[in-house]
Amino acid sequence: MRNITFDFTGRTVVVTGAARGVGLAVGRYFRQAGATVYLVDLEAGPVKEAADEIGATGLAADVADTGQVTEVVERVVSESGRLDVLVNNAGNLRDGVVWKLSDDDYESVMAVHAGGTFRFTRAVVPHFRRQGAGRIINVTSYTGLRGNPGQSNYSMAKAGIIGFTRTTAKELARFGITVNAISPSAQTRMIASVPQEKLAQLTAAIPMGRFADASEMAAAVAFLASDEASYITGVVLPVDGGMAI
């Protein structure tokens, strides 16, 4: 049960990587708070089903493709007349120790995580500047701060998102645009793919003893997108049950 509610009536929100997991939970939260929501994902079928489920619009697009990103942003602004919040959540995994990673393993992860965050941010900024306001929330990871064996590409991308968040926060503050990030520890499809022995080790490292429900990530994102967070920018908020302590 929520103790704090936010009102996003009249605002338009774009969430990437939103066919399931944290992205879908974020989209659902904003929709319940009155926002017009666009879910973006690579897979057309799943994102349409997810959007229909929560009363949003589902758009299929590759965040690693500049043309497709531009088309999404232009469509959103054309249909809704505005764009207020961008949540950069799209991600993928190509795990392996560094000496076994192929160029494609590296390029794919960088293009989706870091590249997708960059492309969508670049695309929305002109609209935010015209409005004199905007909220960007990026999804990074504990792995980007501490590293994790077998995920050098993922760690590099997530660390890059932290640097990107802080730099763009400085660049965009004078236009009334805030840029923040969350570092989550949620039960997602990526976590579900982790071998049980490794998963037990990861869970043991969390002081609260569990991975969060995706909805708990959504609440943090909504706060950073809210009017109440208007003076917060450049922050990487750990939503990880104390794992970063």
Side-chain angles (χ1 to χ4, degrees), residues 10-24:
R11 300 187 187 182
T12 300
V13 179
V14 171
V15 186
T16 71
R20 57 183 64 84
V22 170
L24 177 55

Side-chain angles (χ1 to χ4, degrees), residues 4-5 44 86 88 97 114 125 158 163-165 187 191 223 244:
I4 299 175
T5 59
L86 168 67
N88 285 308
V97 289
V125 164
K158 289 303 193 184
F164 181 78
T165 297
Q187 187 64 254
I191 292 297
F223 167 67

Side-chain angles (χ1 to χ4, degrees), residues 185-203:
S185 176
Q187 187 64 254
T188 64
R189 186 173 61 161
M190 289 186 181
I191 292 297
S193 68
V194 175
Q196 285 301 310
E197 183 178 346
K198 179 64 173 177
L199 183 61
Q201 294 174 1
L202 292 173
T203 304

Side-chain angles (χ1 to χ4, degrees), residues 16 62-65 69 86-91 109-125 136-140 157-158 160-166 168 179-181:
T16 71
D62 183 355
V63 301
D65 185 299
V69 170
L86 168 67
V87 182
N88 285 308
N89 175 68
V109 169
M110 291 298 292
V112 173
H113 289 272
T117 298
F118 163 72
R119 290 181 183 87
F120 258 99
T121 299
R122 181 179 60 181
V124 304
V125 164
I136 300 169
I137 299 95
N138 302 321
V139 178
T140 182
K158 289 303 193 184
I161 288 173
I162 294 172
F164 181 78
T165 297
R166 289 172 174 161
T168 52
V179 188
N180 293 290

Side-chain angles (χ1 to χ4, degrees), residues 8 13 25-37 51 54-57:
F8 288 96
V13 179
V26 168
R28 179 181 289 109
Y29 196 110
F30 278 112
R31 189 69 194 94
Q32 291 173 345
T36 298
V37 175
I54 68 170
T57 300

Side-chain angles (χ1 to χ4, degrees), residues 45-103:
V47 77
K48 184 180 185 306
E49 291 177 11
D52 289 345
E53 175 191 334
I54 68 170
T57 300
L59 301 177
D62 183 355
V63 301
D65 185 299
T66 296
Q68 293 184 43
V69 170
T70 300
E71 287 178 8
V72 166
V73 173
E74 289 180 350
R75 175 174 169 179
V76 170
V77 174
S78 174
E79 291 181 355
S80 69
R82 61 184 301 114
L83 177 53
D84 301 278
V85 180
L86 168 67
V87 182
N88 285 308
N89 175 68
N92 64 345
L93 290 176
R94 294 284 191 89
D95 291 352
V97 289
V98 67
W99 61 92
K100 292 185 178 180
L101 285 177
S102 67
D103 283 0

